[in-house]
mmCIF file of all heavy atoms in Angstrom:
data_model
loop_
_atom_site.group_PDB
_atom_site.id
_atom_site.type_symbol
_atom_site.label_atom_id
_atom_site.label_comp_id
_atom_site.label_asym_id
_atom_site.label_seq_id
_atom_site.Cartn_x
_atom_site.Cartn_y
_atom_site.Cartn_z
ATOM 1 N N MET Y 30 13.247 2.308 -16.564
ATOM 2 C CA MET Y 30 12.182 2.747 -15.718
ATOM 3 C C MET Y 30 11.577 1.625 -14.864
ATOM 4 O O MET Y 30 11.262 1.871 -13.709
ATOM 5 C CB MET Y 30 11.094 3.401 -16.599
ATOM 6 C CG MET Y 30 10.033 4.047 -15.789
ATOM 7 S SD MET Y 30 10.702 5.502 -14.929
ATOM 8 C CE MET Y 30 9.294 6.448 -14.758
ATOM 9 N N PRO Y 31 11.401 0.413 -15.354
ATOM 10 C CA PRO Y 31 10.862 -0.630 -14.484
ATOM 11 C C PRO Y 31 11.699 -0.919 -13.266
ATOM 12 O O PRO Y 31 11.199 -1.312 -12.216
ATOM 13 C CB PRO Y 31 10.797 -1.875 -15.411
ATOM 14 C CG PRO Y 31 10.721 -1.325 -16.797
ATOM 15 C CD PRO Y 31 11.520 -0.061 -16.732
ATOM 16 N N ALA Y 32 13.018 -0.721 -13.362
ATOM 17 C CA ALA Y 32 13.884 -0.934 -12.204
ATOM 18 C C ALA Y 32 13.542 0.058 -11.143
ATOM 19 O O ALA Y 32 13.578 -0.306 -9.916
ATOM 20 C CB ALA Y 32 15.353 -0.851 -12.623
ATOM 21 N N VAL Y 33 13.248 1.276 -11.482
ATOM 22 C CA VAL Y 33 12.887 2.304 -10.504
ATOM 23 C C VAL Y 33 11.586 1.930 -9.805
ATOM 24 O O VAL Y 33 11.428 2.091 -8.584
ATOM 25 C CB VAL Y 33 12.824 3.688 -11.152
ATOM 26 C CG1 VAL Y 33 12.334 4.740 -10.193
ATOM 27 C CG2 VAL Y 33 14.174 4.079 -11.727
ATOM 28 N N VAL Y 34 10.645 1.455 -10.580
ATOM 29 C CA VAL Y 34 9.364 1.062 -10.008
ATOM 30 C C VAL Y 34 9.538 -0.067 -9.020
ATOM 31 O O VAL Y 34 8.980 -0.040 -7.903
ATOM 32 C CB VAL Y 34 8.376 0.664 -11.149
ATOM 33 C CG1 VAL Y 34 7.082 0.096 -10.562
ATOM 34 C CG2 VAL Y 34 8.053 1.858 -12.038
ATOM 35 N N ARG Y 35 10.328 -1.056 -9.378
ATOM 36 C CA ARG Y 35 10.593 -2.189 -8.449
ATOM 37 C C ARG Y 35 11.287 -1.690 -7.183
ATOM 38 O O ARG Y 35 10.956 -2.151 -6.094
ATOM 39 C CB ARG Y 35 11.436 -3.253 -9.124
ATOM 40 C CG ARG Y 35 10.645 -4.133 -10.092
ATOM 41 C CD ARG Y 35 11.419 -5.370 -10.428
ATOM 42 N NE ARG Y 35 12.708 -5.096 -11.030
ATOM 43 C CZ ARG Y 35 12.965 -4.965 -12.341
ATOM 44 N NH1 ARG Y 35 11.960 -5.098 -13.192
ATOM 45 N NH2 ARG Y 35 14.187 -4.699 -12.788
ATOM 46 N N LEU Y 36 12.211 -0.776 -7.318
ATOM 47 C CA LEU Y 36 12.924 -0.221 -6.162
ATOM 48 C C LEU Y 36 11.973 0.478 -5.234
ATOM 49 O O LEU Y 36 11.980 0.281 -3.987
ATOM 50 C CB LEU Y 36 14.047 0.713 -6.605
ATOM 51 C CG LEU Y 36 14.782 1.415 -5.503
ATOM 52 C CD1 LEU Y 36 15.614 0.445 -4.693
ATOM 53 C CD2 LEU Y 36 15.689 2.533 -6.074
ATOM 54 N N VAL Y 37 11.099 1.306 -5.791
ATOM 55 C CA VAL Y 37 10.146 2.053 -4.955
ATOM 56 C C VAL Y 37 9.164 1.099 -4.302
ATOM 57 O O VAL Y 37 8.794 1.283 -3.123
ATOM 58 C CB VAL Y 37 9.416 3.112 -5.821
ATOM 59 C CG1 VAL Y 37 8.263 3.738 -5.067
ATOM 60 C CG2 VAL Y 37 10.400 4.190 -6.278
ATOM 61 N N GLN Y 38 8.744 0.057 -5.012
ATOM 62 C CA GLN Y 38 7.853 -0.928 -4.415
ATOM 63 C C GLN Y 38 8.495 -1.649 -3.224
ATOM 64 O O GLN Y 38 7.876 -1.875 -2.206
ATOM 65 C CB GLN Y 38 7.386 -1.925 -5.463
ATOM 66 C CG GLN Y 38 6.385 -1.391 -6.429
ATOM 67 C CD GLN Y 38 5.998 -2.431 -7.505
ATOM 68 O OE1 GLN Y 38 6.796 -3.320 -7.811
ATOM 69 N NE2 GLN Y 38 4.831 -2.271 -8.060
ATOM 70 N N ARG Y 39 9.744 -2.026 -3.415
ATOM 71 C CA ARG Y 39 10.463 -2.700 -2.331
ATOM 72 C C ARG Y 39 10.685 -1.783 -1.123
ATOM 73 O O ARG Y 39 10.513 -2.223 0.037
ATOM 74 C CB ARG Y 39 11.786 -3.259 -2.832
ATOM 75 C CG ARG Y 39 11.578 -4.453 -3.713
ATOM 76 C CD ARG Y 39 12.891 -5.027 -4.156
ATOM 77 N NE ARG Y 39 12.683 -6.052 -5.141
ATOM 78 C CZ ARG Y 39 13.325 -7.203 -5.171
ATOM 79 N NH1 ARG Y 39 14.272 -7.439 -4.271
ATOM 80 N NH2 ARG Y 39 13.051 -8.097 -6.083
ATOM 81 N N LEU Y 40 11.061 -0.549 -1.388
ATOM 82 C CA LEU Y 40 11.259 0.403 -0.286
ATOM 83 C C LEU Y 40 9.936 0.696 0.423
ATOM 84 O O LEU Y 40 9.899 0.781 1.644
ATOM 85 C CB LEU Y 40 11.892 1.694 -0.822
ATOM 86 C CG LEU Y 40 13.357 1.637 -1.226
ATOM 87 C CD1 LEU Y 40 13.791 2.936 -1.854
ATOM 88 C CD2 LEU Y 40 14.207 1.263 -0.041
ATOM 89 N N GLY Y 41 8.879 0.859 -0.348
ATOM 90 C CA GLY Y 41 7.558 1.090 0.264
ATOM 91 C C GLY Y 41 7.102 -0.083 1.102
ATOM 92 O O GLY Y 41 6.521 0.082 2.184
ATOM 93 N N GLY Y 42 7.350 -1.284 0.602
ATOM 94 C CA GLY Y 42 6.965 -2.480 1.340
ATOM 95 C C GLY Y 42 7.737 -2.611 2.638
ATOM 96 O O GLY Y 42 7.180 -2.961 3.674
ATOM 97 N N ALA Y 43 9.020 -2.304 2.558
ATOM 98 C CA ALA Y 43 9.860 -2.382 3.775
ATOM 99 C C ALA Y 43 9.418 -1.317 4.779
ATOM 100 O O ALA Y 43 9.355 -1.590 5.980
ATOM 101 C CB ALA Y 43 11.326 -2.239 3.402
ATOM 102 N N ALA Y 44 9.160 -0.113 4.299
ATOM 103 C CA ALA Y 44 8.726 0.955 5.205
ATOM 104 C C ALA Y 44 7.377 0.623 5.829
ATOM 105 O O ALA Y 44 7.174 0.883 7.035
ATOM 106 C CB ALA Y 44 8.673 2.279 4.468
ATOM 107 N N GLY Y 45 6.476 0.085 5.048
ATOM 108 C CA GLY Y 45 5.164 -0.271 5.580
ATOM 109 C C GLY Y 45 5.252 -1.406 6.633
ATOM 110 O O GLY Y 45 4.581 -1.339 7.669
ATOM 111 N N THR Y 46 6.093 -2.361 6.352
ATOM 112 C CA THR Y 46 6.290 -3.441 7.344
ATOM 113 C C THR Y 46 6.906 -2.940 8.623
ATOM 114 O O THR Y 46 6.487 -3.312 9.736
ATOM 115 C CB THR Y 46 7.196 -4.541 6.732
ATOM 116 O OG1 THR Y 46 6.534 -5.013 5.524
ATOM 117 C CG2 THR Y 46 7.375 -5.688 7.694
ATOM 118 N N ALA Y 47 7.868 -2.035 8.465
ATOM 119 C CA ALA Y 47 8.511 -1.441 9.682
ATOM 120 C C ALA Y 47 7.500 -0.609 10.483
ATOM 121 O O ALA Y 47 7.482 -0.670 11.722
ATOM 122 C CB ALA Y 47 9.710 -0.592 9.295
ATOM 123 N N LEU Y 48 6.662 0.117 9.787
ATOM 124 C CA LEU Y 48 5.640 0.924 10.457
ATOM 125 C C LEU Y 48 4.667 0.027 11.227
ATOM 126 O O LEU Y 48 4.365 0.308 12.401
ATOM 127 C CB LEU Y 48 4.913 1.826 9.463
ATOM 128 C CG LEU Y 48 3.750 2.615 10.020
ATOM 129 C CD1 LEU Y 48 4.239 3.711 10.945
ATOM 130 C CD2 LEU Y 48 2.927 3.189 8.912
ATOM 131 N N LEU Y 49 4.195 -1.017 10.583
ATOM 132 C CA LEU Y 49 3.242 -1.901 11.269
ATOM 133 C C LEU Y 49 3.879 -2.656 12.380
ATOM 134 O O LEU Y 49 3.243 -2.932 13.420
ATOM 135 C CB LEU Y 49 2.607 -2.860 10.254
ATOM 136 C CG LEU Y 49 1.602 -2.205 9.299
ATOM 137 C CD1 LEU Y 49 1.066 -3.245 8.319
ATOM 138 C CD2 LEU Y 49 0.472 -1.545 10.040
ATOM 139 N N ALA Y 50 5.167 -2.989 12.280
ATOM 140 C CA ALA Y 50 5.873 -3.653 13.387
ATOM 141 C C ALA Y 50 5.991 -2.689 14.569
ATOM 142 O O ALA Y 50 5.833 -3.136 15.728
ATOM 143 C CB ALA Y 50 7.222 -4.116 12.925
ATOM 144 N N ALA Y 51 6.278 -1.441 14.304
ATOM 145 C CA ALA Y 51 6.358 -0.455 15.386
ATOM 146 C C ALA Y 51 5.025 -0.280 16.073
ATOM 147 O O ALA Y 51 4.937 -0.159 17.320
ATOM 148 C CB ALA Y 51 6.895 0.878 14.863
ATOM 149 N N VAL Y 52 3.954 -0.187 15.274
ATOM 150 C CA VAL Y 52 2.609 -0.061 15.856
ATOM 151 C C VAL Y 52 2.269 -1.311 16.653
ATOM 152 O O VAL Y 52 1.658 -1.208 17.773
ATOM 153 C CB VAL Y 52 1.553 0.205 14.742
ATOM 154 C CG1 VAL Y 52 0.156 0.108 15.292
ATOM 155 C CG2 VAL Y 52 1.802 1.549 14.109
ATOM 156 N N ALA Y 53 2.615 -2.488 16.169
ATOM 157 C CA ALA Y 53 2.328 -3.741 16.894
ATOM 158 C C ALA Y 53 3.090 -3.768 18.230
ATOM 159 O O ALA Y 53 2.547 -4.264 19.209
ATOM 160 C CB ALA Y 53 2.683 -4.926 16.030
ATOM 161 N N ALA Y 54 4.292 -3.252 18.225
ATOM 162 C CA ALA Y 54 5.063 -3.242 19.468
ATOM 163 C C ALA Y 54 4.482 -2.273 20.478
ATOM 164 O O ALA Y 54 4.527 -2.512 21.688
ATOM 165 C CB ALA Y 54 6.521 -2.874 19.163
ATOM 166 N N ALA Y 55 3.926 -1.149 19.977
ATOM 167 C CA ALA Y 55 3.390 -0.124 20.891
ATOM 168 C C ALA Y 55 1.944 -0.402 21.310
ATOM 169 O O ALA Y 55 1.588 -0.212 22.450
ATOM 170 C CB ALA Y 55 3.536 1.233 20.231
ATOM 171 N N ALA Y 56 1.113 -0.798 20.305
ATOM 172 C CA ALA Y 56 -0.316 -0.898 20.606
ATOM 173 C C ALA Y 56 -0.872 -2.289 20.477
ATOM 174 O O ALA Y 56 -2.072 -2.510 20.610
ATOM 175 C CB ALA Y 56 -1.063 0.006 19.621
ATOM 176 N N GLY Y 57 -0.030 -3.267 20.231
ATOM 177 C CA GLY Y 57 -0.481 -4.648 20.076
ATOM 178 C C GLY Y 57 -0.940 -4.943 18.670
ATOM 179 O O GLY Y 57 -1.013 -4.078 17.811
ATOM 180 N N PHE Y 58 -1.287 -6.204 18.441
ATOM 181 C CA PHE Y 58 -1.663 -6.603 17.098
ATOM 182 C C PHE Y 58 -3.019 -6.046 16.662
ATOM 183 O O PHE Y 58 -3.262 -5.845 15.499
ATOM 184 C CB PHE Y 58 -1.649 -8.132 16.991
ATOM 185 C CG PHE Y 58 -0.272 -8.688 17.017
ATOM 186 C CD1 PHE Y 58 0.209 -9.342 18.125
ATOM 187 C CD2 PHE Y 58 0.585 -8.501 15.954
ATOM 188 C CE1 PHE Y 58 1.474 -9.853 18.174
ATOM 189 C CE2 PHE Y 58 1.873 -9.000 15.962
ATOM 190 C CZ PHE Y 58 2.341 -9.675 17.074
ATOM 191 N N HIS Y 59 -3.892 -5.812 17.623
ATOM 192 C CA HIS Y 59 -5.182 -5.217 17.260
ATOM 193 C C HIS Y 59 -4.961 -3.821 16.695
ATOM 194 O O HIS Y 59 -5.580 -3.458 15.674
ATOM 195 C CB HIS Y 59 -6.077 -5.175 18.502
ATOM 196 C CG HIS Y 59 -7.458 -4.612 18.225
ATOM 197 N ND1 HIS Y 59 -8.397 -5.300 17.510
ATOM 198 C CD2 HIS Y 59 -8.000 -3.392 18.534
ATOM 199 C CE1 HIS Y 59 -9.489 -4.569 17.417
ATOM 200 N NE2 HIS Y 59 -9.280 -3.433 18.046
ATOM 201 N N GLY Y 60 -4.108 -3.056 17.307
ATOM 202 C CA GLY Y 60 -3.820 -1.711 16.802
ATOM 203 C C GLY Y 60 -3.137 -1.758 15.455
ATOM 204 O O GLY Y 60 -3.420 -0.977 14.562
ATOM 205 N N ALA Y 61 -2.212 -2.722 15.254
ATOM 206 C CA ALA Y 61 -1.525 -2.848 13.968
ATOM 207 C C ALA Y 61 -2.533 -3.251 12.878
ATOM 208 O O ALA Y 61 -2.445 -2.757 11.752
ATOM 209 C CB ALA Y 61 -0.416 -3.870 14.073
ATOM 210 N N PHE Y 62 -3.492 -4.109 13.232
ATOM 211 C CA PHE Y 62 -4.498 -4.475 12.239
ATOM 212 C C PHE Y 62 -5.356 -3.288 11.850
ATOM 213 O O PHE Y 62 -5.633 -3.059 10.647
ATOM 214 C CB PHE Y 62 -5.403 -5.589 12.787
ATOM 215 C CG PHE Y 62 -6.466 -6.021 11.833
ATOM 216 C CD1 PHE Y 62 -6.166 -6.841 10.731
ATOM 217 C CD2 PHE Y 62 -7.785 -5.614 12.040
ATOM 218 C CE1 PHE Y 62 -7.159 -7.197 9.848
ATOM 219 C CE2 PHE Y 62 -8.781 -5.990 11.126
ATOM 220 C CZ PHE Y 62 -8.464 -6.778 10.074
ATOM 221 N N LEU Y 63 -5.770 -2.484 12.799
ATOM 222 C CA LEU Y 63 -6.553 -1.295 12.494
ATOM 223 C C LEU Y 63 -5.775 -0.325 11.646
ATOM 224 O O LEU Y 63 -6.306 0.298 10.718
ATOM 225 C CB LEU Y 63 -7.039 -0.666 13.785
ATOM 226 C CG LEU Y 63 -8.095 -1.464 14.564
ATOM 227 C CD1 LEU Y 63 -8.459 -0.750 15.888
ATOM 228 C CD2 LEU Y 63 -9.335 -1.705 13.729
ATOM 229 N N TRP Y 64 -4.472 -0.168 11.940
ATOM 230 C CA TRP Y 64 -3.622 0.715 11.158
ATOM 231 C C TRP Y 64 -3.515 0.197 9.732
ATOM 232 O O TRP Y 64 -3.546 0.964 8.777
ATOM 233 C CB TRP Y 64 -2.244 0.843 11.768
ATOM 234 C CG TRP Y 64 -2.127 1.993 12.719
ATOM 235 C CD1 TRP Y 64 -2.402 1.980 14.072
ATOM 236 C CD2 TRP Y 64 -1.758 3.323 12.396
ATOM 237 N NE1 TRP Y 64 -2.173 3.200 14.570
ATOM 238 C CE2 TRP Y 64 -1.784 4.066 13.562
ATOM 239 C CE3 TRP Y 64 -1.397 3.951 11.220
ATOM 240 C CZ2 TRP Y 64 -1.465 5.418 13.611
ATOM 241 C CZ3 TRP Y 64 -1.045 5.290 11.240
ATOM 242 C CH2 TRP Y 64 -1.102 6.022 12.435
ATOM 243 N N SER Y 65 -3.378 -1.119 9.574
ATOM 244 C CA SER Y 65 -3.267 -1.664 8.215
ATOM 245 C C SER Y 65 -4.538 -1.484 7.418
ATOM 246 O O SER Y 65 -4.491 -1.170 6.219
ATOM 247 C CB SER Y 65 -2.852 -3.127 8.252
ATOM 248 O OG SER Y 65 -3.884 -3.902 8.800
ATOM 249 N N VAL Y 66 -5.684 -1.600 8.067
ATOM 250 C CA VAL Y 66 -6.942 -1.374 7.388
ATOM 251 C C VAL Y 66 -7.063 0.109 6.996
ATOM 252 O O VAL Y 66 -7.463 0.436 5.871
ATOM 253 C CB VAL Y 66 -8.127 -1.802 8.282
ATOM 254 C CG1 VAL Y 66 -9.452 -1.299 7.688
ATOM 255 C CG2 VAL Y 66 -8.151 -3.293 8.435
ATOM 256 N N GLY Y 67 -6.691 1.000 7.910
ATOM 257 C CA GLY Y 67 -6.758 2.407 7.629
ATOM 258 C C GLY Y 67 -5.823 2.829 6.474
ATOM 259 O O GLY Y 67 -6.235 3.601 5.590
ATOM 260 N N LEU Y 68 -4.605 2.290 6.486
ATOM 261 C CA LEU Y 68 -3.654 2.641 5.440
ATOM 262 C C LEU Y 68 -4.118 2.065 4.094
ATOM 263 O O LEU Y 68 -3.919 2.672 3.047
ATOM 264 C CB LEU Y 68 -2.263 2.143 5.794
ATOM 265 C CG LEU Y 68 -1.591 2.889 6.917
ATOM 266 C CD1 LEU Y 68 -0.259 2.168 7.287
ATOM 267 C CD2 LEU Y 68 -1.349 4.322 6.571
ATOM 268 N N THR Y 69 -4.745 0.905 4.118
ATOM 269 C CA THR Y 69 -5.281 0.359 2.879
ATOM 270 C C THR Y 69 -6.387 1.194 2.328
ATOM 271 O O THR Y 69 -6.463 1.420 1.095
ATOM 272 C CB THR Y 69 -5.789 -1.095 3.123
ATOM 273 O OG1 THR Y 69 -4.722 -1.883 3.634
ATOM 274 C CG2 THR Y 69 -6.376 -1.730 1.887
ATOM 275 N N LEU Y 70 -7.269 1.724 3.146
ATOM 276 C CA LEU Y 70 -8.325 2.562 2.674
ATOM 277 C C LEU Y 70 -7.790 3.879 2.134
ATOM 278 O O LEU Y 70 -8.267 4.391 1.109
ATOM 279 C CB LEU Y 70 -9.343 2.855 3.812
ATOM 280 C CG LEU Y 70 -10.144 1.632 4.289
ATOM 281 C CD1 LEU Y 70 -11.025 2.000 5.456
ATOM 282 C CD2 LEU Y 70 -11.001 1.087 3.118
ATOM 283 N N VAL Y 71 -6.739 4.423 2.778
ATOM 284 C CA VAL Y 71 -6.125 5.663 2.264
ATOM 285 C C VAL Y 71 -5.493 5.392 0.904
ATOM 286 O O VAL Y 71 -5.565 6.218 -0.017
ATOM 287 C CB VAL Y 71 -5.098 6.187 3.277
ATOM 288 C CG1 VAL Y 71 -4.223 7.275 2.673
ATOM 289 C CG2 VAL Y 71 -5.778 6.700 4.531
ATOM 290 N N ALA Y 72 -4.858 4.233 0.717
ATOM 291 C CA ALA Y 72 -4.222 3.904 -0.548
ATOM 292 C C ALA Y 72 -5.279 3.622 -1.631
ATOM 293 O O ALA Y 72 -5.014 3.774 -2.818
ATOM 294 C CB ALA Y 72 -3.306 2.712 -0.381
ATOM 295 N N LEU Y 73 -6.458 3.213 -1.229
ATOM 296 C CA LEU Y 73 -7.511 2.898 -2.196
ATOM 297 C C LEU Y 73 -8.086 4.153 -2.842
ATOM 298 O O LEU Y 73 -8.539 4.087 -3.989
ATOM 299 C CB LEU Y 73 -8.622 2.087 -1.491
ATOM 300 C CG LEU Y 73 -9.744 1.551 -2.319
ATOM 301 C CD1 LEU Y 73 -9.213 0.541 -3.322
ATOM 302 C CD2 LEU Y 73 -10.801 0.922 -1.448
ATOM 303 N N LEU Y 74 -8.089 5.240 -2.130
ATOM 304 C CA LEU Y 74 -8.691 6.451 -2.683
ATOM 305 C C LEU Y 74 -8.040 6.918 -3.985
ATOM 306 O O LEU Y 74 -8.768 7.193 -4.955
ATOM 307 C CB LEU Y 74 -8.657 7.578 -1.618
ATOM 308 C CG LEU Y 74 -9.521 7.333 -0.388
ATOM 309 C CD1 LEU Y 74 -9.300 8.427 0.644
ATOM 310 C CD2 LEU Y 74 -10.970 7.215 -0.803
ATOM 311 N N PRO Y 75 -6.734 7.028 -4.088
ATOM 312 C CA PRO Y 75 -6.150 7.394 -5.375
ATOM 313 C C PRO Y 75 -6.384 6.354 -6.456
ATOM 314 O O PRO Y 75 -6.513 6.702 -7.650
ATOM 315 C CB PRO Y 75 -4.644 7.539 -5.122
ATOM 316 C CG PRO Y 75 -4.474 7.544 -3.689
ATOM 317 C CD PRO Y 75 -5.691 6.951 -3.055
ATOM 318 N N CYS Y 76 -6.490 5.104 -6.080
ATOM 319 C CA CYS Y 76 -6.771 4.032 -7.052
ATOM 320 C C CYS Y 76 -8.144 4.227 -7.685
ATOM 321 O O CYS Y 76 -8.302 3.983 -8.883
ATOM 322 C CB CYS Y 76 -6.665 2.663 -6.423
ATOM 323 S SG CYS Y 76 -5.043 2.239 -5.865
ATOM 324 N N LEU Y 77 -9.096 4.666 -6.905
ATOM 325 C CA LEU Y 77 -10.412 4.860 -7.434
ATOM 326 C C LEU Y 77 -10.485 6.081 -8.363
ATOM 327 O O LEU Y 77 -11.382 6.207 -9.212
ATOM 328 C CB LEU Y 77 -11.435 5.063 -6.288
ATOM 329 C CG LEU Y 77 -11.669 3.831 -5.440
ATOM 330 C CD1 LEU Y 77 -12.525 4.174 -4.233
ATOM 331 C CD2 LEU Y 77 -12.228 2.690 -6.260
ATOM 332 N N ALA Y 78 -9.529 7.003 -8.257
ATOM 333 C CA ALA Y 78 -9.496 8.199 -9.083
ATOM 334 C C ALA Y 78 -8.841 7.926 -10.418
ATOM 335 O O ALA Y 78 -8.911 8.762 -11.339
ATOM 336 C CB ALA Y 78 -8.736 9.311 -8.373
ATOM 337 N N LEU Y 79 -8.227 6.788 -10.643
ATOM 338 C CA LEU Y 79 -7.579 6.454 -11.889
ATOM 339 C C LEU Y 79 -8.639 6.223 -12.963
ATOM 340 O O LEU Y 79 -9.686 5.685 -12.699
ATOM 341 C CB LEU Y 79 -6.705 5.192 -11.762
ATOM 342 C CG LEU Y 79 -5.470 5.321 -10.902
ATOM 343 C CD1 LEU Y 79 -4.834 3.955 -10.746
ATOM 344 C CD2 LEU Y 79 -4.488 6.290 -11.544
ATOM 345 N N PRO Y 80 -8.352 6.661 -14.178
ATOM 346 C CA PRO Y 80 -9.321 6.429 -15.240
ATOM 347 C C PRO Y 80 -9.379 4.950 -15.614
ATOM 348 O O PRO Y 80 -8.437 4.209 -15.429
ATOM 349 C CB PRO Y 80 -8.780 7.245 -16.436
ATOM 350 C CG PRO Y 80 -7.339 7.405 -16.154
ATOM 351 C CD PRO Y 80 -7.179 7.403 -14.646
ATOM 352 N N ALA Y 81 -10.525 4.553 -16.148
ATOM 353 C CA ALA Y 81 -10.695 3.150 -16.561
ATOM 354 C C ALA Y 81 -9.793 2.824 -17.742
ATOM 355 O O ALA Y 81 -9.571 3.671 -18.617
ATOM 356 C CB ALA Y 81 -12.161 2.908 -16.930
ATOM 357 N N ARG Y 82 -9.298 1.630 -17.762
ATOM 358 C CA ARG Y 82 -8.411 1.205 -18.841
ATOM 359 C C ARG Y 82 -9.252 0.710 -20.009
ATOM 360 O O ARG Y 82 -10.176 -0.079 -19.812
ATOM 361 C CB ARG Y 82 -7.467 0.060 -18.354
ATOM 362 C CG ARG Y 82 -6.519 -0.365 -19.374
ATOM 363 C CD ARG Y 82 -5.568 -1.375 -18.804
ATOM 364 N NE ARG Y 82 -4.671 -1.833 -19.829
ATOM 365 C CZ ARG Y 82 -3.737 -2.728 -19.652
ATOM 366 N NH1 ARG Y 82 -3.588 -3.256 -18.459
ATOM 367 N NH2 ARG Y 82 -2.952 -3.109 -20.622
ATOM 368 N N LYS Y 83 -8.897 1.174 -21.190
ATOM 369 C CA LYS Y 83 -9.627 0.754 -22.365
ATOM 370 C C LYS Y 83 -9.145 -0.642 -22.812
ATOM 371 O O LYS Y 83 -7.955 -0.927 -22.742
ATOM 372 C CB LYS Y 83 -9.435 1.749 -23.514
ATOM 373 C CG LYS Y 83 -10.055 3.055 -23.246
ATOM 374 C CD LYS Y 83 -9.856 3.988 -24.413
ATOM 375 C CE LYS Y 83 -10.488 5.332 -24.141
ATOM 376 N NZ LYS Y 83 -10.316 6.252 -25.263
ATOM 377 N N ASN Y 84 -10.063 -1.466 -23.245
ATOM 378 C CA ASN Y 84 -9.719 -2.800 -23.714
ATOM 379 C C ASN Y 84 -9.124 -2.670 -25.129
ATOM 380 O O ASN Y 84 -9.783 -2.170 -26.040
ATOM 381 C CB ASN Y 84 -10.947 -3.684 -23.717
ATOM 382 C CG ASN Y 84 -10.620 -5.138 -23.952
ATOM 383 O OD1 ASN Y 84 -9.459 -5.496 -24.135
ATOM 384 N ND2 ASN Y 84 -11.635 -5.960 -23.925
ATOM 385 N N LEU Y 85 -7.856 -3.120 -25.268
ATOM 386 C CA LEU Y 85 -7.184 -2.961 -26.573
ATOM 387 C C LEU Y 85 -7.374 -4.141 -27.489
ATOM 388 O O LEU Y 85 -6.940 -4.133 -28.628
ATOM 389 C CB LEU Y 85 -5.675 -2.731 -26.304
ATOM 390 C CG LEU Y 85 -5.347 -1.481 -25.526
ATOM 391 C CD1 LEU Y 85 -3.852 -1.433 -25.271
ATOM 392 C CD2 LEU Y 85 -5.824 -0.244 -26.242
ATOM 393 N N SER Y 86 -8.047 -5.193 -27.039
ATOM 394 C CA SER Y 86 -8.194 -6.357 -27.898
ATOM 395 C C SER Y 86 -9.493 -6.318 -28.710
ATOM 396 O O SER Y 86 -10.319 -5.539 -28.585
ATOM 397 C CB SER Y 86 -8.183 -7.637 -27.091
ATOM 398 O OG SER Y 86 -9.193 -7.643 -26.101
#
């Protein structure tokens, strides 16, 4: 299972980099920065919905 997680992380990173490069080519670096901030905020929403981790120690 960890191999699948690493694969998805690498594919997601490559896809995100390609998307931001395309936005930078079309709208400039200011547009790419705004897109990166927006995508980060969208990714943050599901993270906030995760339950708190219990301390096992």
Side-chain angles (χ1 to χ4, degrees):
M30 189 67 154
V33 174
V34 173
R35 283 195 303 268
L36 175 68
V37 171
Q38 286 177 334
R39 287 181 186 223
L40 288 174
T46 302
L48 175 68
L49 289 178
V52 171
F58 289 107
H59 181 72
F62 179 76
L63 291 177
W64 269 89
S65 67
V66 169
L68 290 174
T69 301
L70 292 176
V71 168
L73 185 63
L74 294 175
C76 294
L77 293 174
L79 291 173
R82 183 176 178 179
K83 294 182 180 180
N84 191 358
L85 299 176
S86 58

